[in-house]
């Protein structure tokens, strides 16, 4: 599992399937930041992983602050399934 911060909104929501950096990921959770007092465009803070990680996410079997954090522009994300 990883944390992906997307600058901009590529049109994804929870359970979307995306392709980033040549790999497919499932977005288990999406938190939208910056609508009111943030940067000039919104940021999506996504918890992503493979389908095998879904049970760990649902059972909270991870430490959020210890996840690897990636950052990408909305244009670098390919949406496979928008959910």
């Amino acid at each position: 599992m990883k944390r992906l911060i997307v600058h901009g909104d590529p049109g994804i929501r929870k359970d979307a399937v995306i392709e980033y950096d040549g790999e497919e990921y499932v977005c288990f959770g999406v938190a939208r930041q910056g609508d009111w007092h943030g940067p000039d465009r919104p940021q999506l803070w996504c918890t992503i992983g493979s389908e095998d990680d879904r049970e760990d996410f649902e059972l909270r079997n991870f430490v959020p602050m210890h996840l690897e954090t990636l950052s990408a522009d909305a244009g670098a994300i390919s949406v496979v399934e928008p959910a």
Side-chain angles (χ1 to χ4, degrees):
M1 246 184 299
K2 299 177 184 182
R3 174 87 61 189
L4 176 64
I5 300 173
V6 182
H7 303 280
D9 188 356
I12 58 174
R13 299 294 175 256
K14 181 181 171 187
D15 292 328
V17 178
I18 61 169
E19 185 176 330
Y20 171 67
D21 203 23
E23 294 186 46
E24 270 193 15
Y25 296 102
V26 177
C27 294
F28 300 125
V30 178
R32 188 174 175 98
Q33 308 290 330
D35 278 336
W36 295 100
H37 301 291
D40 58 342
R41 57 187 176 158
Q43 292 180 347
L44 301 180
W45 290 40
C46 308
T47 304
I48 61 173
S50 66
E51 193 60 47
D52 297 336
D53 295 328
R54 183 175 295 279
E55 185 177 355
D56 285 336
F57 178 78
E58 290 174 354
L59 297 175
R60 303 286 187 232
N61 192 18
F62 65 99
V63 180
M65 66 184 175
H66 291 184
L67 292 177
E68 178 184 357
T69 302
L70 308 171
S71 179
D73 214 30
I77 305 292
S78 298
V79 181
V80 177
E81 281 185 44

